[in-house]
Amino acid sequence: MVLSLAVVFAFVGVILAITLRQTPDPIKVIDASSVRAAVTSNSPYRAVAVLPSELPGELSGWRITSARASAPGDSPFAWHIGYFTSTGTYAGVDQSNASAAVLRRDEQVSGATAGTTRVGSVRWQRIEKVDGTRRWLLRTQSGVTTLIVGTGPWGQLEQLARALKPVTQPSGS
């Protein structure tokens, strides 16, 4: 009987060794270089964004999970970059030369105004979903509307706002 159990356990061990695999990372990271190039080449305004290689220390570990840009000549011109943060939340940046009302509609911003905040010298309008699960920072300056969205705390969105800088072609392009 012991020999039979040993054979069964050996068989089960072989099956487990064949079938058990490490669980892959469920977060699909994408390369946003084509979106960066599209924004640099086609944006009719000076776009601002931040890519993972440019993230300051407090935002290190963030990964891009979504990115898109309007086609050349689209009016309004808009683009988006979404991140999976190091704390497991979502953050994203949208920018367009559409009005704030149009961008809010297009990005389905469904919250109530929650005051304002100042990041550096820039004043942002705070918007929060009634259930508190999503927050937005919104500003319009020189005809360009920037929207920062996230599921993390206000401080995380403000850090992302602080990290934004003009989008330029990467070195060597």
Side-chain angles (χ1 to χ4, degrees):
M1 187 164 120
V2 171
L3 185 58
S4 295
L5 279 176
V7 169
V8 168
F9 284 134
F11 180 72
V12 168
V14 168
I15 297 296
L16 286 175
I18 292 170
T19 59
L20 285 182
R21 294 190 172 102
Q22 279 190 340
T23 305
D25 188 351
I27 305 303
K28 184 177 183 222
V29 177
I30 65 162
D31 178 6
S33 58
S34 62
V35 171
R36 178 190 197 139
V39 170
T40 303
S41 301
N42 304 320
S43 176
Y45 51 85
R46 187 171 180 173
V48 294
V50 61
L51 298 176
S53 62
E54 304 163 338
L55 287 168
E58 66 270 13
L59 303 181
S60 65
W62 287 28
R63 299 178 280 170
I64 294 180
T65 58
S66 60
R68 65 183 181 278
S70 296
D74 278 0
S75 184
F77 183 87
W79 62 266
H80 161 85
I81 293 180
Y83 306 90
F84 181 78
T85 72
S86 56
T87 59
T89 60
Y90 170 78
V93 179
D94 293 273
Q95 195 172 52
S96 176
N97 55 348
S99 69
V102 169
L103 187 61
R104 283 183 71 158
R105 181 199 68 216
D106 290 351
E107 296 303 321
Q108 301 176 359
V109 177
S110 59
T113 300
T116 61
T117 190
R118 189 172 285 282
V119 178
S121 62
V122 179
R123 183 173 296 278
W124 293 80
Q125 178 184 12
R126 285 181 166 191
I127 304 165
E128 186 168 24
K129 199 167 182 176
V130 175
D131 63 6
T133 59
R134 191 167 290 248
R135 293 167 187 80
W136 296 267
L137 293 177
L138 175 73
R139 75 171 179 151
T140 300
Q141 186 174 16
S142 303
V144 178
T145 302
T146 305
L147 181 69
I148 297 176
V149 58
T151 57
W154 288 114
Q156 191 174 60
L157 301 183
E158 291 166 0
Q159 287 176 323
L160 181 53
R162 194 172 294 108
L164 294 176
K165 61 184 181 180
V167 176
T168 57
Q169 282 289 6
S171 307
S173 295

